[in-house]
Amino acid sequence: MKVKVFYMLSLLIVGAVLIAACGGAPAASGGGAGAPAKMKGDATAGKTKFSSTCVSCHGPEGKGIPGLGKDMTTSTFIKGQSDDQMVTFVTTGRPASDKANTTGVDMPPKGGNPSFTEKDLYDIVAFIRTIVK
């Protein structure tokens, strides 16, 4: 009986050591092939911030206003950018002189709202992700 208990206890300890050694990081942390990246922003808060600034050129649904802002809902540019890249893009903006600017209208840094923080921009990007098809 003592041998059986010792054997079971040994297996339990070895199993616990193996589990601890594997790390077991959750998939949502962005670590691991094919794992979805953890969202850095809050889409609900982002919608409010989008509605206060971005809507003037991109419209309330992000479909764009002719001559002002591009349709974000079908943008291959947005689809091809990471959240970090999008925040950098919005932080910088896009001048009318940029060859990639097809509207001929400046997209000002932070959409023209200098009070936006990095967190605000991640929230806006999280909202934009919900409207891109």
Side-chain angles (χ1 to χ4, degrees):
M1 185 68 154
K2 287 183 180 183
V3 172
K4 195 173 190 178
V5 170
F6 177 76
Y7 179 72
M8 293 300 284
L9 184 59
S10 296
L11 283 176
L12 185 62
I13 291 170
V14 168
V17 168
L18 286 174
I19 290 171
C22 290
S29 70
K38 184 178 181 209
M39 292 287 279
K40 294 182 179 182
D42 175 351
T44 302
K47 182 176 184 177
T48 301
K49 294 165 188 163
F50 181 93
S51 295
S52 73
T53 300
C54 312
V55 71
S56 60
C57 291
H58 294 286
E61 296 173 357
K63 292 185 178 181
I65 295 177
L68 290 177
K70 301 285 285 182
D71 182 345
M72 301 169 103
T73 65
T74 59
S75 172
T76 56
F77 173 77
I78 293 171
K79 288 178 189 175
Q81 302 294 305
S82 70
D83 289 357
D84 292 337
Q85 290 169 319
M86 283 299 299
V87 166
T88 298
F89 172 74
V90 174
T91 299
T92 305
R94 178 175 279 165
S97 61
D98 186 320
K99 291 178 184 175
N101 184 322
T102 59
T103 64
V105 176
D106 284 333
M107 177 181 157
K110 297 184 179 183
N113 187 338
S115 68
F116 277 153
T117 65
E118 186 176 81
K119 170 73 171 107
D120 294 331
L121 298 178
Y122 275 104
D123 291 346
I124 291 168
V125 168
F127 169 69
I128 291 170
R129 297 283 184 218
T130 69
I131 62 172
V132 175
K133 298 173 185 163

